[in-house]
Amino acid sequence: MTHPIIVTGPQRAGSRLASHIIARQTGRKFIDELEYNINIPNNSVVQAPFLLKAVIELSFIFPTAQFAFMIRNKDDIIASMERVEWYKDYTDNPDFYSTYVDHCYDYIEMLKQSLDKDRWFDIQYESLQHDPLFVKDRADFTVKQHLPFTPNGPTTWRNDEYIRTIKG
């Protein structure tokens, strides 16, 4: 049976790259988190860190869906968040990024206890390095970019301006 694969985890953990790789390798349709809706095709890979909070609901809505949890070094995630200024216009508390990442990983561990083992798998960010889509130096990448020389989205992720621009 075909089922959607939802790739989630902390923001900036590599879900976009992993989703593109899975879609390419499995012949599935890539769906960006901003294009997600409840009517996604079964043969899709959804890149959606924002859906981490909804995994339990989605496990019932899509009873055969699989969930891929992105695992990346916390310091690397924080460095990426700093680079794109993620949430900087909402909070400048120096503990926010670290607390956010810890919470995501604690929540993922709880989810793993609630979901059947065949419903989820981990993706280690480092394992993506062997794929041709992997680019080591992403310092000049935009917030949704996954390929060199193909900017996608703004250079910073502040105040949801990108979402308002494309959804407006």
Side-chain angles (χ1 to χ4, degrees):
M1 171 180 259
T2 305
H3 52 271
I5 298 172
I6 298 169
V7 183
T8 191
Q11 292 283 346
R12 313 307 302 168
S15 61
R16 174 165 300 280
L17 176 60
S19 297
H20 277 285
I21 291 170
I22 293 169
R24 186 193 75 232
Q25 290 178 347
T26 62
R28 293 169 180 262
K29 176 181 171 66
F30 170 84
I31 297 181
D32 181 274
E33 62 187 337
L34 298 177
E35 298 169 359
Y36 167 79
N37 65 64
I38 205 71
N39 297 316
I40 60 171
N42 279 335
N43 68 336
S44 61
V45 177
V46 182
Q47 178 271 330
F50 82 91
L51 287 178
L52 180 61
K53 299 172 187 171
V55 166
I56 294 300
E57 293 91 330
L58 292 170
S59 74
F60 284 90
I61 294 169
F62 301 106
T64 61
Q66 288 190 308
F67 300 91
F69 297 120
M70 288 303 306
I71 309 297
R72 185 178 184 187
N73 176 281
K74 178 179 171 178
D75 292 335
D76 293 341
I77 292 173
I78 292 171
S80 181
M81 291 173 158
E82 290 286 349
R83 181 179 63 79
V84 301
E85 301 177 10
W86 188 72
Y87 263 74
K88 280 291 186 185
D89 49 349
Y90 292 116
T91 182
D92 60 0
N93 185 308
D95 297 326
F96 173 66
Y97 290 157
S98 179
T99 302
Y100 167 81
V101 175
D102 288 343
H103 172 76
C104 287
Y105 286 137
D106 289 346
Y107 187 60
I108 287 170
E109 289 307 311
M110 284 189 341
L111 289 169
K112 289 176 181 180
Q113 294 174 17
S114 300
L115 296 170
D116 289 339
K117 176 66 178 137
D118 64 346
R119 299 286 308 274
W120 62 267
F121 57 97
D122 288 339
I123 300 174
Q124 299 292 329
Y125 180 80
E126 292 77 20
S127 71
L128 305 177
Q129 294 178 12
H130 305 292
D131 191 274
L133 290 180
F134 187 84
V135 176
K136 186 171 179 77
D137 182 9
R138 296 172 177 268
D140 295 327
F141 274 34
T142 57
V143 297
K144 294 183 135 318
Q145 184 174 347
H146 73 283
L147 295 172
F149 314 113
T150 55
N152 185 5
T155 56
T156 61
W157 194 272
R158 297 180 64 108
N159 201 12
D160 295 326
E161 189 62 35
Y162 178 68
I163 294 172
R164 279 198 299 277
T165 302
I166 67 165
K167 291 276 191 180

